[in-house]
């Protein structure tokens, strides 16, 4: 690999390839999601068009939720609402566990406390 742009501020910092791969994968997935959203929504000619589009999306979402409220299982609704925050939290917890078990670095130790 090339030379790092930012060197670690402390000598005990660890460069773990597994954590690096997960971070790169998460970044790539985020860029793909943003690109997909931009391509699917297209570009608006002005700010008023953007606001109108967003209100139309909100209205459509509320109508779909109201119509399907009784038919969509509760677990599916929970998955839609909590999916992204839980996945980000899961990856962060995995990274913290990996550092603690494989490298012996705790959050407290990383914060020099």
């Amino acid at each position: 690999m090339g030379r790092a742009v930012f060197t670690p501020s402390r000598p005990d910092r660890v460069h773990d390839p597994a954590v690096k791969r997960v971070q790169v994968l998460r970044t790539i997935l985020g860029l793909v999601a943003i690109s997909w959203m931009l391509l699917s929504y297209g570009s608006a000619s002005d700010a008023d068009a953007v606001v109108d589009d967003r209100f139309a999306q909100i209205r459509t979402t509320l109508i779909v939720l109201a119509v399907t409220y009784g038919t969509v299982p509760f677990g599916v609704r929970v998955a839609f609402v909590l999916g992204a925050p839980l996945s980000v939290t899961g990856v962060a917890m995995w990274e913290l566990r990996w550092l603690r078990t494989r490298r012996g670095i705790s959050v407290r130790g990383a914060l020099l406390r």
Side-chain angles (χ1 to χ4, degrees):
M1 304 249 310
R3 187 172 155 238
V5 176
F6 298 103
T7 57
S9 59
R10 299 187 326 256
D12 64 337
R13 296 295 301 245
V14 176
H15 297 284
D16 193 328
V19 172
K20 182 71 170 176
R21 280 192 303 269
V22 170
Q23 290 172 340
V24 169
L25 178 65
R26 186 172 55 187
T27 301
I28 290 170
L29 289 175
L31 290 173
V32 168
I34 289 171
S35 300
W36 175 74
M37 287 176 48
L38 290 174
L39 291 174
S40 65
Y41 288 125
S43 59
S45 59
D46 60 359
D48 289 335
V50 172
V51 171
D52 290 340
D53 285 346
R54 296 304 176 243
F55 277 120
Q57 291 170 3
I58 291 170
R59 183 180 64 243
T60 303
T61 302
L62 290 176
I63 291 170
V64 169
L65 285 174
V67 169
T68 63
Y69 182 73
T71 59
V72 176
F74 179 73
V76 173
R77 290 195 307 262
V78 169
F80 281 135
V81 172
L82 299 178
L86 289 179
S87 65
V88 170
T89 302
V91 170
M93 295 301 291
W94 176 83
E95 289 174 348
L96 290 173
R97 182 178 173 276
W98 176 267
L99 287 173
R100 188 182 71 246
T101 58
R102 303 288 172 110
R103 304 294 182 196
I105 299 174
S106 66
V107 174
R108 186 175 291 219
L111 296 175
L112 300 175
R113 292 185 181 175

